[in-house]
Amino acid sequence: MSESVDSIYDEPTIHEYPDPEHFAPNVSRHPALLGLDGYVPPTLYNLESGLGECSRDHGTTRERDSLRSPASEPHRFHEPGALDPDYELSDTATTQDEDVTDSTSEDDPQDQRFDLIKNIHNHESQDLNWRPRAQRGQSRGRGRGGRGGKRGLRRAAQPTPEFKALQSQATIAFIDEDFEKAEQLVLQALQINPEIFSAHNLLSEIHAARGDNDKALRAAWNGAHTQPRNPEIWSRIAHLLTERETDDRDSSLREAVYCYNRIISLNSNEVEARYKRAGLNRELGYYGRALREYEQLLKQLPHETSVLRHLAETSIQLQKPERALHYYKITIDHFRNNDPQDNPSFDWSDVNIIAELHSIQQQYDEGLAEVKNMARWLLGRRSASYWDFFTKDDREWDADDEPRRIDVPEFEADAYEISSYGSGLPMELRIKLGVFRIRSRDCDLEEAMNHFEWLDPEDTRAKAKLYDFPDLFREAANSLLEKHYYHEALRYYEPLQYVSDYEDTSYLSEMASCYRAIGSDSEAVECYQHLIAIDESNLNARVQLSNLSKNGVLYSQHSSNTKEVTKRAFTKPNKKIDQQPKRGRSIQNGIPRNKQRSVPQRDLVQASEAKLLFQHWQILMDHHDDRDTNSNNPWMTCANILIQNFRQNKIFYPVDKHHKFYGYSRKARLLAAKPKHAQDRMTERQGDHHEVFVANPENEDLVVPHDYCGISFDSWLDVFLEYALKVAKIGDLKGSYEIVAAAFHANVFYHSPHSLFQIHVCWFACALWGNDDETLCNIARWFMREYQFVTDGYRLFAALNKLCDGENSWYNCGPSQKYLLRQIKAVDFSLIEDGQRKSFWQEKASYSTKDRKGNPVQAGDMDVALLMVYGHILFAGRSYSYAVNYFLRALALDPTNATIKLSLALGYIHHALKRQAENRHNILMQGLAFLLEYYDSRQQAASASEKQEADFNVGHVYHLLGLTHQAIPYYERCLELAAAVSSDMLECRGEDFSQTAAFALQGLWAASGNTAMARDITEKWLVM
């Protein structure tokens, strides 16, 4: 690199693309990939006392340093064959399995503390010796200079005599219950050598004896990392974490999962750890991980019913009941070869679970047959298979043999005990049979009522079945209401009024619907009154009450007119409204939520109610104060109710979000479920939220609506986005993301480019309020993907990531770098001829934007902004030599751009300051040449702020190089231009660097001993 600056312009730049998977050291790692399984418990990096600091300084940091890649040394500038950096999690950055042979005492520290203290010196350094796998004949990885070297953690240091003395004194002080002295001594010992487990264990015991369980847990956590291959320690810490009482329980559970990860990494066949980890994942809401854990457990423990039950609950929460049914069928086939007494683990609860799984899948006939077959087997009548042919009724489970069971020719009354028939069937399964009968294809009400009558709904005495099985009463009533058997449903609804704490809003609403259906309006009014007393924010009850008043129904407390009822609908609610309806349910629940409503009332609110609420929201919007941070103000209450009503309409949230919205009718839903190519053939013309005529197979025109409840979809989107912005402003960033995500996943917005644009603009606005750089980076990448080869997309990416000022940020993480590199490849691919493409490229470019005809949009020219953004990502990752390569390409396209020249100058100068830079002075001169060209360009500008910027940047570079005598004149010129810059800032132009320059001058004068000049600068420029 001895060429002059002019020679760089004369010779064309030779550009070679790097192999993204080969080089990673100079690029900062992704923030989310710093630990095992993408998660490092905060305890490791948030230690408070001296123990935490000494452990971090002498142990954890040293461990990370030993794992750092030798290739992270600076590379030579334009070294032949060198590659551009790209992100990957290198092998040397991963945690290795340490081969430790430690024999930890198995004593319980709580019960046998002093026995452990007496033997505490028996397992010090001699029990902690280990050697990396690379020393066992496996030369893996590369060391410094490209030679093969050792990998893994270094050998633990031997305890010094001073450490042993301090440890012994701390132990004696602990036995004497002088905990303060013992803590000081053991902390001193840990400062000498933080890698001895016994010291950490003693410190944990000291904190536990003083009642400080949190510090005891942190000390034990640090000690566990000194013996990473001891599963008993990790198991004990995991148990303490799960039993820990804290406000942030999720963090404790994630740390416990980390402990079980370490145990399973040592022994993948560890059943107990895997079982507990699955339970923790369920509690954290990671149902997919939990389901995979239970499936793995079933491979290790086939036909284990306790695992099967947890798997069934998890599969229901994931809405995948077929997975659980598959494993249950395998288990049933295995158990049926034996007597039920030989398989005590399989009992009636498993039969109930299987019935519930069939109910969720709406397999009522199959569930009916399966329940009867398994019940017969558990009751000892496996050989009576002739009952399988009686599918039209359930006479097998009658209370007495007569009159129906005796009519079966194969039936023998003395063959089995009478208790193995009707009375032997549990009540839960009997009600399940009734529900299956009424929901089956034949809808046999008579047979269903035969089962429901076992509940004896007329009996309300103290020992009645009503008080033992109130959930079964509700389940039977709901199934009858679903099929519009209102009189029969009320027989099971009304007794529930005698059960305390069982009346809720859904129960009262369902019973009121039955009363209205049979014409008992006065009873319906009472139900609605009671419902409003429980939940004043229930708009449906108020509207129904208003409709009853219009029909002339007189009642005492609510004799006001419709206007008054509507006015009360907007009062402040006393009961918090759920943010999202529950999708899953437990095994004990009777009927899915979506099956409890009758067909004529599928929507949560009527159109008139939604219109009224929206009009009120618009009025409040005009008078809304953005400074109001009260989350319960009327404006936010109305918006929240509207959003919940919209989200509870499942038509807008299909299982596959790629299904378009064609309307609310059954034909429209069938059309939406067809493959995309079939929809394209049937669609004649299509637009965003306009009426669309789609030809269906029956030659009828299907009009696609553009509104819901009389409110246009654009207005619904305004409600979503306005509410999300307000929630973000009051500090609930997660809640705002949930609202925006709900709008994004709605099919009426997902397939509208204009709506998607508005949603993502709102998304990054919320992220800006919360300073969430991860979300900002992801949203900016969406704009670059959807509007590929558009300069504003790359500029937006750079602008949104201006908040990221650290080295380890989402701006220069691996995924962002790889994505932008693919964009540059795509531009180059589209600009060269076909013959050259075959010679230089082995794969096609990735085009993500299409025109109206569906053809991919290609780049018309290389984008300077794209090259600069990618160059600055490399610059932020300290890959200065490769960043200069892209800056030079940008300069060739825009030779007069001052910003490119400044970037080139900084790239050369920073590379020259690296340790392994060759011909350092020549590189510095090239950087200074570009810097002075930048300065000349800026000095020709008419704006005073641009001139001041140039003076400050040049002075700052000289200051960086230690040339303070050169930096001072430029800093002083910054101060001279302060007045002119202030007038420019009144016109919203530029930025004032005077205070920053004054601060730099203050430091220079103070460092040189001229305190008088430093004081003058401070008093004139730095005093507010």
Side-chain angles (χ1 to χ4, degrees), residues 624-676:
H624 179 60
D625 186 3
D626 288 338
R627 295 172 294 180
D628 185 6
T629 60
N630 183 12
S631 61
N632 290 327
N633 62 63
W635 182 86
M636 293 195 68
T637 301
C638 291
N640 188 15
I641 296 173
L642 283 170
I643 290 172
Q644 297 309 318
N645 292 340
F646 185 92
R647 293 175 66 178
Q648 290 183 5
N649 193 326
K650 295 187 177 182
I651 297 178
F652 300 141
Y653 296 93
V655 177
D656 187 355
K657 64 182 179 182
H658 296 285
H659 291 173
K660 294 183 179 181
F661 173 75
Y662 288 107
Y664 306 102
S665 64
R666 182 173 179 271
K667 293 180 180 179
R669 294 196 296 271
L670 291 176
L671 177 61
K674 290 186 176 182
K676 185 177 182 301

Side-chain angles (χ1 to χ4, degrees), residues 500-516:
S500 59
D501 299 332
Y502 202 80
E503 293 183 348
D504 55 17
T505 56
S506 60
Y507 162 73
L508 292 170
S509 178
E510 291 158 357
M511 192 162 62
S513 300
C514 292
Y515 281 129
R516 291 200 64 184

